[in-house]
Amino acid sequence: MLPWASLLFLGVPGHAPMLPWASLLFLAAVGGHLAAAPKPMISLHPPWTTFFKGEVVTLTCIAPRVRAAGNIKWYRWYLGTEMLCETPGNTLKARVSGRYKCQTQDSLLSDDVSLIFSSGWLILQAPHSVFEGDTLLLRCQVKGREKLGTVKYSWNGKVISTSDKGQDLLIPQASLNNSGHYQCIGFLERNYTYKSSNRIIKIQELFPRPKLEVTPPQPTEGGSANLSCHTRLPLERPDALLSFIFFRDRGVMLSNWSRSPELQITAIWREDSGSYWCAAAAGVPSIRKHSLPMQVRVQGVPVSAVLLETQPQGGQVLAGERLVLVCSVAEGTGDTTFFWHREDTGESVGSKRQRSRRAELEIPAVRGSHAGRYYCTADNGHGLARSGALNVTVTGHPGEGGLVYSEIQVIQLGQEAAAPSSLSLSSSSSISFPPQHTSVVYSSVKTQLPEDSAREVRSQDEDAVESYENVQFA
């Protein structure tokens, strides 16, 4: 299918219409200050580059910034000869063929504009420059007062339109595919046929394919990354509006369309690794270009300096109280798996996986069996690291003591010389004393913690020595 799906025709008016590129003014502001352009530009009025001999075209040298008033230098090249002239203003009336350039004070030479003044009977008029999205207007003109009947336009040797009203050819939104060789054929009312010379028309890019830049090129997990979609507008189209969008892999949209060519990712992770690309679009919906994909690999930082701590500190805890084993790393990114182990038994006591440098394992109520040596390990996929071992001791309290035995000493009054008698009773034993004896009773309750029979039995409670008179023990 030829790129002529939509063609419009305009009747030949009494004068050429003023096209958007007939007069160009380039002013660029950077930080509130005018930015000097590297070179001026030439605009044409009328906007064509082909004329009949004897006609006149006005060239205007447009400089973004002129430091001081002065003459404009004009250069013309024709058949290998260079000619120079100066004008007090920025315009020049051109009547002869050649390549024209202009120069202001302290500026570079402008791009050239080629003008043709033809002696033929039929010419094809086209604008000097056409960008993507511009309206391409072609005009078939006959010399003198002759009138055209039917006009045919051809592109690369193929007829693309035929009109019996002598109309112009209008392509509303030109694309790069519309570049090529153009020619018009005019049929006069007196059955004369004329052909124009071939014109090469090149549709220029409004902006080149964007290029994606990622800073830093290999971001670190948890850090930020800045994406920039770079392209540029031509000097003739500084006011064109561009929009940008960013993607990852196959259609994962990272942003909406925006005027900003940059996107900042505040925190990037290993799973965000992949193929990144961006797209730029002009105000004309049909102009949209994608960057080449760029592989981004997010770098992880291995875990290091693993440390095991306890709450309460020091690893000493009372039986029945809460114990927290805290495993932390000094460095490490991404999801980290923490493991807790007992070194003395070799068993694993718990694990957690989370995006953190610190994790806790809680034992709600400690028992004597929890005493031992503990250590922890951490692994974020870049290698496993281990902490040093920490000793956990569990001490008892009265609420968990067990009665081992009761010791009761009986001293008979009036028998000082006799040695005191001592009896040991279990918690379920009972004793009877002989009647009619006054005695002093001293008792002591001995306890020890469960599962701790090897430890020294300790006195848990002592009763004060008390005298009992005329008391009979049954």
Side-chain angles (χ1 to χ4, degrees):
M1 181 177 179
L2 294 176
W4 311 103
S6 59
L7 299 177
L8 298 179
F9 297 90
L10 298 179
V12 179
H15 59 278
M18 182 63 70
L19 298 178
W21 52 81
S23 60
L24 299 174
L25 182 60
F26 174 52
L27 293 176
V30 178
H33 300 282
L34 290 177
K39 52 191 172 184
M41 297 175 296
I42 298 177
S43 68
L44 308 174
H45 185 74
W48 318 113
T49 56
T50 303
F51 301 90
F52 290 112
K53 282 188 175 181
E55 294 183 327
V56 178
V57 59
T58 301
L59 308 181
T60 303
C61 187
I62 301 176
R65 185 177 181 182
V66 179
R67 297 180 181 177
N71 292 343
I72 302 295
K73 294 181 180 179
W74 291 93
Y75 299 85
R76 182 175 72 93
W77 286 264
Y78 185 71
L79 299 178
T81 302
E82 177 183 328
M83 286 152 281
L84 170 66
C85 70
E86 293 188 11
T87 60
N90 65 338
T91 61
L92 175 70
K93 300 293 184 180
R95 296 176 174 84
V96 291
S97 301
R99 293 188 301 113
Y100 289 80
K101 291 186 178 184
C102 72
Q103 184 180 31
T104 63
Q105 288 184 340
D106 302 325
S107 78
L108 299 174
L109 285 172
S110 69
D111 291 333
D112 64 79
V113 172
S114 295
L115 299 180
I116 297 174
F117 290 86
S118 174
S119 58
W121 283 95
L122 191 70
I123 60 174
L124 176 62
Q125 292 183 315
H128 164 59
S129 62
V130 182
F131 290 90
E132 296 173 289
D134 284 347
T135 298
L136 173 59
L137 179 64
L138 302 179
R139 174 166 295 172
C140 197
Q141 289 280 63
V142 65
K143 189 175 183 179
R145 296 184 178 180
E146 297 285 352
K147 292 184 178 180
L148 291 175
T150 302
V151 176
K152 293 183 179 180
Y153 290 91
S154 66
W155 170 75
N156 292 336
K158 300 177 182 179
V159 175
I160 56 175
S161 71
T162 300
S163 173
D164 57 0
K165 296 182 180 180
Q167 294 175 326
D168 297 343
L169 175 64
L170 181 68
I171 303 173
Q173 293 180 1
S175 68
L176 298 180
N177 293 331
N178 296 134
S179 298
H181 292 78
Y182 288 81
Q183 186 181 39
C184 72
I185 303 172
F187 299 89
L188 276 66
E189 294 177 350
R190 294 179 298 170
N191 295 325
Y192 290 122
T193 302
Y194 296 105
K195 290 184 178 181
S196 71
S197 299
N198 275 295
R199 288 291 314 276
I200 298 177
I201 297 177
K202 182 179 180 181
I203 309 300
Q204 302 180 61
E205 281 190 319
L206 182 61
F207 59 92
R209 174 198 289 266
K211 181 180 179 180
L212 178 66
E213 180 181 346
V214 180
T215 308
Q218 292 186 337
T220 302
E221 271 193 302
S224 62
N226 191 69
L227 279 59
S228 300
C229 198
H230 293 290
T231 188
R232 64 182 184 277
L233 290 169
L235 295 178
E236 295 89 343
R237 296 292 187 273
D239 55 347
L241 297 178
L242 295 181
S243 298
F244 302 88
I245 193 170
F246 295 85
F247 296 90
R248 185 184 74 238
D249 297 327
R250 295 185 176 181
V252 179
M253 195 166 62
L254 302 178
S255 71
N256 295 319
W257 285 101
S258 168
R259 299 294 184 195
S260 174
E262 295 190 356
L263 173 67
Q264 185 176 30
I265 302 176
T266 55
I268 193 168
W269 305 101
R270 185 164 35 177
E271 57 265 29
D272 296 324
S273 299
S275 179
Y276 285 72
W277 50 283
C278 68
V284 180
S286 60
I287 305 178
R288 182 177 299 181
K289 301 180 182 181
H290 300 269
S291 70
L292 294 175
M294 180 179 181
Q295 293 296 325
V296 176
R297 183 179 179 183
V298 182
Q299 304 296 310
V301 177
V303 293
S304 62
V306 185
L307 177 65
L308 178 63
E309 298 174 291
T310 63
Q311 295 176 357
Q313 297 180 354
Q316 295 184 349
V317 59
L318 291 175
E321 291 189 347
R322 172 176 173 267
L323 173 66
V324 179
L325 301 176
V326 182
C327 190
S328 62
V329 297
E331 291 185 346
T333 58
D335 290 341
T336 302
T337 303
F338 297 88
F339 299 92
W340 288 266
H341 305 269
R342 283 194 64 163
E343 188 179 58
D344 49 347
T345 63
E347 63 179 325
S348 176
V349 295
S351 66
K352 282 186 178 180
R353 180 175 177 83
Q354 57 192 53
R355 182 161 289 174
S356 173
R357 294 185 183 181
R358 184 179 185 273
E360 296 181 353
L361 179 67
E362 180 183 356
I363 303 175
V366 174
R367 300 189 304 272
S369 60
H370 289 128
R373 290 180 63 80
Y374 291 81
Y375 69 91
C376 70
T377 61
D379 186 2
N380 65 349
H382 298 287
L384 182 142
R386 170 183 163 160
S387 72
L390 180 66
N391 193 49
V392 173
T393 59
V394 180
T395 58
H397 59 79
E400 290 189 357
L403 178 64
V404 177
Y405 63 87
S406 298
E407 182 179 81
I408 301 177
Q409 293 182 346
V410 180
I411 303 175
Q412 298 294 333
L413 297 179
Q415 299 180 3
E416 290 84 354
S421 60
S422 175
L423 296 175
S424 295
L425 302 176
S426 68
S427 59
S428 60
S429 301
S430 62
I431 184 171
S432 298
F433 293 94
Q436 299 176 354
H437 289 282
T438 302
S439 62
V440 176
V441 179
Y442 170 81
S443 65
S444 177
V445 180
K446 304 290 185 176
T447 62
Q448 68 177 12
L449 291 175
E451 304 174 4
D452 198 13
S453 59
R455 295 184 180 180
E456 180 182 358
V457 176
R458 60 187 175 86
S459 175
Q460 179 177 323
D461 188 25
E462 292 186 356
D463 294 333
V465 176
E466 186 176 355
S467 296
Y468 295 89
E469 296 182 358
N470 301 318
V471 175
Q472 180 176 347
F473 291 86

